[in-house]
Amino acid sequence: MFEPAENQYVVSRPIYSEESFKGQHEKIRRPHKTFFDHLRVFFGCSPEKAKRIAFTFFPIASWLPMYQIKAWLVSDIVSGISTGLVAVLQGLAFALLVNVPPGYGLYAAFFPVIIYFFFGTSKHISVGPFPVLSLMVGTAVLRLVPDVPNSNSTDITAIDAERVNVAASVTVLAGIFQLALGLLQVGFIVIYLSDSLISGFTTAAAIHVLISQLKFILGLTVKSYSGPIALFYTLRDIFTQITDTNIADLVTSIIIMVVVFAVKEINDRFKAKIPVPIPIEVIMTVIATGVSYAFDFKNKYNVGIVGTLESGFEAPKAPDIKVFESCVGDGFSIGIVGFAIAFSVAKVYSIKHDYVINGNQELVAFGLSNIFGGCFRGFAAATSLSRSAVQESTGGKTQIAGLLSAIIVMIVTLAIGFLLEPLQKSVLGALVVINLKGMLMQFNEIPPLFRKDKFDCLVWVVTFLAAVLLGLDLGLAAGLGFELLTVVFRAQFPKCSQVANVGGSNIYKNRKDYRDIHEPQGVKIFRCPAPIFFANIDFFRDKVIAAAGINPLRILRKRNKALRKIKKLLKKGELHITPKGLISTSYDYKESDDEELDNNRVEELDQPINTSELPIQIDWNADLPNNINVPKVDFDTLILDFGAVSFLDISGMKGLKAVLKEFIKIEVNVYIAGVDDNLLDKLERCGFFDDTIQTSIIFLSVHDAVLHVLVKRNLDSLAKEKEAEVKEKETGFYSDEKNSSIKNRNVNDTVSDI
């Protein structure tokens, strides 16, 4: 029972091993479902299950009937118009990253939004082009359809058409991967992309995007590259042609970036006072388009412009299977990265507004969005951080706002797209660069990340460098591989410690961290805070031996060698047994050649010590005759704290069993404390326990094991005293067994920290 008293608690209960606890407390045998039971449930059908599945795959059926028209419609209209205007500009701008004509960016800003409206579970994200995904698609496009030097207008038109086909096919492939993962219910795959990895990767992608837009900002004709170190080839060409910079493009870009940056800062600083953020991107685009048209920048300054935007939508077209064969890796990485970014943004807003999103359904929604969008010649879509912020901050309540933003894009595509034809590409490039601010600011995460967790900081840096040097596809794979390697490294080399009692209570902490530690003499307690498996079992063994301060196998071999010598000396008559112990009559003992050869028979030396042929017990910690040296063992009990050990594999069990038997063979009592019930069941199923290692060594807690050792010592001491009294009465001699016993010390005795 326990008795609360002020700021303390007092517990009175028996000392429990697992055996004694089970003897006093009956455990409920719970039936566990078999594989066939799970199959039966999965394929079973009922009206409730059918309704649940319908609402899962069509989330719109759950929220649209409850839509509050009076309370939400006006906010959604304002949000939809604001988001739609931004989506038009970002669609045109991000098309430059895909290396396709700007008009196809409008398709990417329209079709995915419509599909997500029906199948998505987030109420606030704005679906559409995202610079990182656009650049990843553009990398695949350039690899399959590179630039052709000195090409005429006919060639450029053919190249653009081929690039559009590749971008659409890669998008469909990414959507197929997303849809398949969603239907297989493996949305958890995104957990393998940590925040550090995503941050480092998106920062590297921002660097790629920034470099790719310099040619538009400077008005240069630079060949596009793909593959490892493509970034540096692009920079080389830019600096080689830097003297050919188009001043009109450069000045326009600088003005756009300065004004947009300043107004965005004002929006952020005074967002609590401004009901709707100033749509500075739209305003500057309208002004830049008007100025370019009025002063005929294209002919006067030879600037690059958006050009003809085809009105209307193209008919759907099946993807190219040949592109599928060449871009499997690109499609998978685009699908995973797109989902990871979109899901992380959606999760932020779901927490902020207190609703639930479904990761698997999000995969399905984005998969269908990309398949549908790719068939209509769009490119990969996810969610833009800046566009989602606009949709949420302007009062968007549901995906009605997203639908309205798609309608704005449709209006531009069908009716007023021609008004944007004089717009300079440098303006779009400047808008892309300005929107990279959030991702580039992620460099500020490195110092605090280094202070908090050096492994996570390494993941960030390695992913960033790999993505910058190798390209986004290979960089993501390298970053993910390194991230998983750090997990393996942490599990393979856990921070094991030797613990001791703190403050004379039932609390056990690292003995190096506290001054008021208490531990019984001859007891060592070892804590392992990680699973034990094939990769770290050798490390675990080394740490246990280091904590014990002895190598049990070496001690065992030394003792067996010494036992052989003692038996030989007794046989030769050079040792005699007396009531007070062994007495040597010769000090000139040397090993014979046969004994030296016997040293190579290691298998015999590894056997348990057998003193049954001797009429006395040997005290291995006492001085042995004839200069026979055996390392002394200053403890008799080893307790392993397994409270943090979550699992053991077969290799770990074999290694653990071998270590325990090595200590048991040198007469060190071994106990295991805090074993989880599931782990204990597995040990029993796998035949871990035998005549040597029994279930009686398992205790509920470290304190139970320590108290058991103290009680056992007291009982053993009393038994030895009675045995000595009986021998004294029978033989008339007093048998001094003090040397063969280990002095006890109270649990509250303080030991110095070594």
Side-chain angles (χ1 to χ4, degrees):
M1 296 295 292
F2 64 90
E3 301 174 3
E6 296 181 355
N7 197 28
Q8 298 180 350
Y9 73 85
V10 179
V11 177
S12 176
R13 65 168 176 82
I15 299 172
Y16 280 131
S17 66
E18 282 289 345
E19 285 185 345
S20 61
F21 184 80
K22 288 180 180 178
Q24 295 186 24
H25 302 276
E26 183 180 359
K27 188 175 181 180
I28 300 174
R29 296 296 177 183
R30 293 177 297 159
H32 294 282
K33 289 184 178 180
T34 64
F35 174 73
F36 296 103
D37 293 331
H38 288 288
L39 281 181
R40 194 178 299 110
V41 172
F42 183 78
F43 289 106
C45 186
S46 65
E48 293 78 10
K49 185 176 181 180
K51 183 178 179 181
R52 186 173 67 251
I53 292 174
F55 282 150
T56 299
F57 281 99
F58 298 97
I60 189 174
S62 62
W63 62 265
L64 189 59
M66 297 185 294
Y67 187 80
Q68 301 177 23
I69 297 177
K70 293 183 179 180
W72 294 350
L73 185 58
V74 174
S75 297
D76 278 341
I77 290 174
V78 173
S79 176
I81 294 174
S82 303
T83 308
L85 294 174
V86 176
V88 169
L89 299 180
Q90 291 190 352
L92 295 172
F94 296 159
L96 301 180
L97 299 175
V98 188
N99 300 288
V100 296
Y104 289 92
L106 297 178
Y107 301 161
F110 175 74
F111 290 107
V113 180
I114 301 298
I115 301 302
Y116 189 86
F117 173 77
F118 292 98
F119 296 97
T121 60
S122 175
K123 299 177 182 179
H124 294 90
I125 64 171
S126 174
V127 178
F130 181 63
V132 175
L133 288 192
S134 301
L135 187 64
M136 294 177 74
V137 175
T139 302
V141 168
L142 284 179
R143 190 177 69 249
L144 297 185
V145 190
D147 289 332
V148 178
N150 303 319
S151 54
N152 55 38
S153 59
T154 304
D155 294 335
I156 293 175
T157 302
I159 290 173
D160 285 343
E162 194 172 351
R163 287 180 172 178
V164 169
N165 179 58
V166 172
S169 299
V170 172
T171 299
V172 172
L173 182 59
I176 291 173
F177 279 120
Q178 289 176 327
L179 179 60
L181 293 173
L183 293 177
L184 293 173
Q185 302 289 295
V186 289
F188 64 85
I189 194 172
V190 74
I191 65 176
Y192 293 105
L193 302 179
S194 67
D195 291 342
S196 301
L197 184 143
I198 293 176
S199 178
F201 178 76
T202 52
T203 306
I207 298 295
H208 279 278
V209 173
L210 175 63
I211 300 302
S212 70
Q213 296 307 293
L214 288 179
K215 64 181 180 181
F216 297 109
I217 292 174
L218 300 175
L220 301 175
T221 303
V222 177
K223 179 182 177 182
S224 299
Y225 297 93
S226 63
I229 66 173
L231 199 69
F232 299 97
Y233 291 134
T234 303
L235 284 174
R236 180 198 62 187
D237 290 354
I238 288 174
F239 284 110
T240 301
Q241 304 178 40
I242 195 71
T243 55
D244 299 330
T245 298
N246 189 307
I247 302 300
D249 276 330
L250 179 60
V251 171
T252 303
S253 300
I254 292 175
I255 293 173
I256 292 291
M257 287 190 288
V258 170
V259 174
V260 172
F261 177 80
V263 176
K264 277 181 172 284
E265 289 297 309
I266 293 173
N267 284 338
D268 289 340
R269 183 165 297 184
F270 300 102
K271 59 184 177 182
K273 299 180 179 179
I274 302 176
V276 177
I278 302 172
I280 187 60
E281 292 170 317
V282 177
I283 294 172
M284 294 304 295
T285 301
V286 171
I287 294 174
T289 303
V291 171
S292 175
Y293 175 76
F295 293 95
D296 195 15
F297 276 11
K298 182 179 185 301
N299 295 319
K300 281 188 178 181
Y301 302 107
N302 195 30
V303 298
I305 61 173
V306 170
T308 303
L309 292 176
E310 295 183 6
S311 61
F313 298 101
E314 294 187 9
K317 185 178 179 181
D320 191 342
I321 302 300
K322 292 182 179 179
V323 175
F324 281 10
E325 297 172 356
S326 304
C327 298
V328 173
D330 297 282
F332 185 77
S333 59
I334 290 169
I336 294 299
V337 172
F339 171 66
I341 293 171
F343 186 73
S344 61
V345 176
K347 188 163 59 173
V348 169
Y349 288 119
S350 69
I351 294 172
K352 180 178 180 181
H353 295 279
D354 192 23
Y355 61 89
V356 179
I357 57 174
N358 186 329
N360 292 314
Q361 182 59 25
E362 287 293 292
L363 270 173
V364 171
F366 280 106
L368 292 174
S369 297
N370 282 320
I371 292 173
F372 198 77
C375 290
F376 281 90
R377 325 312 290 158
F379 50 84
T383 182
S384 168
L385 281 69
S386 59
R387 204 167 55 245
S388 297
V390 170
Q391 181 167 318
E392 191 266 345
S393 62
T394 52
K397 303 297 182 182
T398 65
Q399 280 301 325
I400 293 289
L403 181 65
L404 293 174
S405 72
I407 292 175
I408 297 296
V409 176
M410 182 182 67
I411 292 172
V412 173
T413 305
L414 297 177
I416 61 175
F418 68 92
L419 296 176
L420 295 173
E421 291 179 4
L423 179 63
Q424 294 169 248
K425 288 185 177 180
S426 58
V427 173
L428 297 178
L431 293 177
V432 170
V433 172
I434 284 297
N435 279 288
L436 297 176
K437 177 198 168 187
M439 288 188 283
L440 293 175
M441 290 297 289
Q442 292 176 142
F443 278 114
N444 294 331
E445 296 178 4
I446 297 178
L449 200 59
F450 181 80
R451 291 192 297 269
K452 294 175 181 177
D453 193 313
K454 292 179 175 56
F455 281 107
D456 279 347
C457 185
L458 270 177
V459 169
W460 197 104
V461 173
V462 169
T463 304
F464 172 79
L465 293 176
V468 167
L469 297 175
L470 303 178
L472 296 181
D473 48 356
L474 295 177
L476 177 63
L480 180 59
F482 182 79
E483 178 191 46
L484 296 178
L485 189 63
T486 61
V487 176
V488 173
F489 186 82
R490 294 192 214 199
Q492 187 172 352
F493 304 104
K495 293 185 178 181
C496 302
S497 59
Q498 188 175 347
V499 300
N501 184 284
V502 178
S505 64
N506 63 338
I507 299 172
Y508 291 82
K509 296 285 187 180
N510 192 325
R511 66 192 307 273
K512 295 180 180 180
D513 295 338
Y514 296 89
R515 297 184 184 277
D516 57 335
I517 61 170
H518 307 274
E519 56 185 352
Q521 182 179 358
V523 176
K524 295 198 174 183
I525 309 170
F526 177 80
R527 175 173 291 164
C528 178
I532 301 174
F533 59 108
F534 65 93
N536 69 356
I537 182 59
D538 291 333
F539 178 82
F540 171 79
R541 182 181 185 278
D542 293 341
K543 285 296 182 180
V544 171
I545 290 174
I550 61 167
N551 187 327
L553 191 58
R554 179 173 175 269
I555 299 292
L556 178 64
R557 291 174 179 175
K558 287 284 188 180
R559 288 185 180 182
N560 273 322
K561 283 184 182 181
L563 185 61
R564 286 211 313 251
K565 294 176 185 178
I566 290 172
K567 288 180 179 179
K568 187 160 287 190
L569 290 173
L570 287 171
K571 187 176 181 181
K572 289 182 177 181
E574 296 179 4
L575 275 181
H576 297 280
I577 299 173
T578 68
K580 292 190 176 183
L582 295 172
I583 295 179
S584 174
T585 58
S586 172
Y587 295 93
D588 298 327
Y589 175 76
K590 294 181 180 179
E591 283 188 336
S592 65
D593 293 338
D594 292 338
E595 287 177 327
E596 291 178 359
L597 291 174
D598 285 344
N599 289 340
N600 296 322
R601 296 160 63 182
V602 178
E603 292 182 0
E604 293 184 7
L605 299 178
D606 291 346
Q607 297 302 314
I609 300 170
N610 184 10
T611 59
S612 59
E613 299 177 4
L614 297 179
I616 62 169
Q617 285 289 108
I618 299 176
D619 182 1
W620 295 108
N621 286 329
D623 293 331
L624 299 177
N626 288 70
N627 297 321
I628 299 175
N629 293 319
V630 176
K632 295 178 174 56
V633 180
D634 60 352
F635 68 99
D636 64 350
T637 301
L638 176 65
I639 300 174
L640 302 180
D641 182 2
F642 272 24
V645 178
S646 57
F647 75 88
L648 277 164
D649 68 353
I650 299 300
S651 299
M653 287 186 200
K654 290 180 179 178
L656 175 62
K657 193 169 186 177
V659 172
L660 297 185
K661 286 191 173 183
E662 287 174 7
F663 279 101
I664 291 172
K665 286 176 182 178
I666 62 171
E667 301 173 356
V668 172
N669 298 314
V670 181
Y671 301 98
I672 303 177
V675 182
D676 181 74
D677 286 346
N678 294 324
L679 182 57
L680 184 59
D681 291 341
K682 184 175 182 180
L683 291 176
E684 292 174 347
R685 289 196 311 270
C686 295
F688 180 80
F689 300 105
D690 53 23
D691 294 337
T692 304
I693 302 176
Q694 301 177 352
T695 55
S696 58
I697 69 170
I698 308 296
F699 282 82
L700 289 188
S701 68
V702 173
H703 200 54
D704 282 296
V706 170
L707 295 178
H708 169 77
V709 170
L710 297 179
V711 171
K712 184 173 179 294
R713 282 181 180 175
N714 290 333
L715 295 176
D716 290 345
S717 178
L718 292 174
K720 286 182 180 180
E721 290 178 3
K722 290 182 179 179
E723 184 180 354
E725 291 176 1
V726 172
K727 284 185 178 180
E728 185 178 1
K729 291 178 180 179
E730 291 179 352
T731 62
F733 291 100
Y734 174 71
S735 178
D736 184 7
E737 297 190 19
K738 289 184 180 179
N739 291 331
S740 63
S741 63
I742 300 175
K743 295 180 180 180
N744 297 330
R745 189 168 62 164
N746 189 279
V747 71
N748 291 324
D749 291 344
T750 303
V751 294
S752 59
D753 189 9
I754 299 175

